[in-house]
Amino acid sequence: MKHEKIDISLWQQIQTLMQEDGLVLDPAMERLMARHLEVLRAWQPVASLVSRRDLDDMWTRHVADSLSLAWLVRHFAAEGQGTLLDIGSGGGFPALPLKVVLPGLRVCLVERSDKKSGFLRKVLGTLGLSDVSVVHGEFPDAAAGVVAEVMTARAVE
């Protein structure tokens, strides 16, 4: 977080709410999320993963926003052991921060852009996350056969 602008008050609120819901955000998880943002920043000129105005505020606009869903995902996805289908995954939000805080969650990322699919594969390899698949193609055809308790679509046209 040291190189990113962050609303400390909002971040503390997110952490408090997560703790109240029995979710822990430990330093190792924060490092994984920071690494995700580093890879995103490197790929931004190639794949246009977030808007330019969001680049200096990714912890608030993307990570905290994603984590605000953690308690819902855990509740509806078999206490975090079920499957999340994320449509239009782009930069990996909200699915990857959710996967970090809910490590038992299985995740299927659906992305139609070749460049963004490539980014998602790169960041997954970098973070070493398991039980996450990237499906390249248009929804719903690309997700045929995926059974998920929770579906997200954060930035889909």
Side-chain angles (χ1 to χ4, degrees):
M1 282 191 274
K2 61 185 174 196
H3 300 298
E4 301 289 333
K5 175 182 165 186
I6 184 165
D7 180 333
I8 297 298
S9 174
L10 174 66
W11 190 248
Q12 290 171 339
Q13 288 175 342
I14 293 291
Q15 289 178 318
T16 299
L17 289 172
M18 288 180 60
Q19 288 171 355
E20 289 172 2
D21 292 323
L23 296 166
V24 176
L25 182 58
D26 64 34
M29 292 173 175
E30 287 185 16
R31 284 191 296 277
L32 281 175
M33 289 183 229
R35 185 66 182 123
H36 173 194
L37 297 182
E38 288 172 16
V39 177
L40 187 147
R41 189 173 288 286
W43 275 66
Q44 177 66 15
V46 175
S48 189
L49 298 159
V50 297
S51 72
R52 280 189 217 139
R53 68 179 169 83
D54 288 357
L55 281 174
D56 293 329
D57 197 14
M58 288 192 286
W59 280 98
T60 301
R61 291 186 178 268
H62 296 290
V63 177
D65 185 61
S66 298
L67 294 177
S68 71
L69 300 174
W71 71 276
L72 280 169
V73 172
R74 185 181 75 171
H75 175 75
F76 288 105
E79 290 304 306
Q81 302 298 310
T83 301
L84 167 68
L85 173 62
D86 186 48
I87 301 163
S89 298
F93 304 107
L96 296 183
L98 290 170
K99 172 63 179 173
V100 169
V101 298
L102 299 167
L105 187 67
R106 290 177 301 282
V107 177
C108 178
L109 306 168
V110 177
E111 177 54 56
R112 68 181 179 183
S113 162
D114 286 328
K115 292 176 183 177
K116 292 177 182 177
S117 293
F119 161 77
L120 291 168
R121 288 185 180 93
K122 173 66 176 181
V123 79
L124 289 174
T126 300
L127 300 181
L129 298 176
S130 60
D131 290 329
V132 182
S133 60
V134 177
V135 178
H136 175 253
E138 294 280 338
F139 181 80
D141 296 334
V146 175
V147 177
E149 292 83 4
V150 179
M151 181 169 48
T152 54
R154 186 167 178 249
V156 177
E157 295 174 4

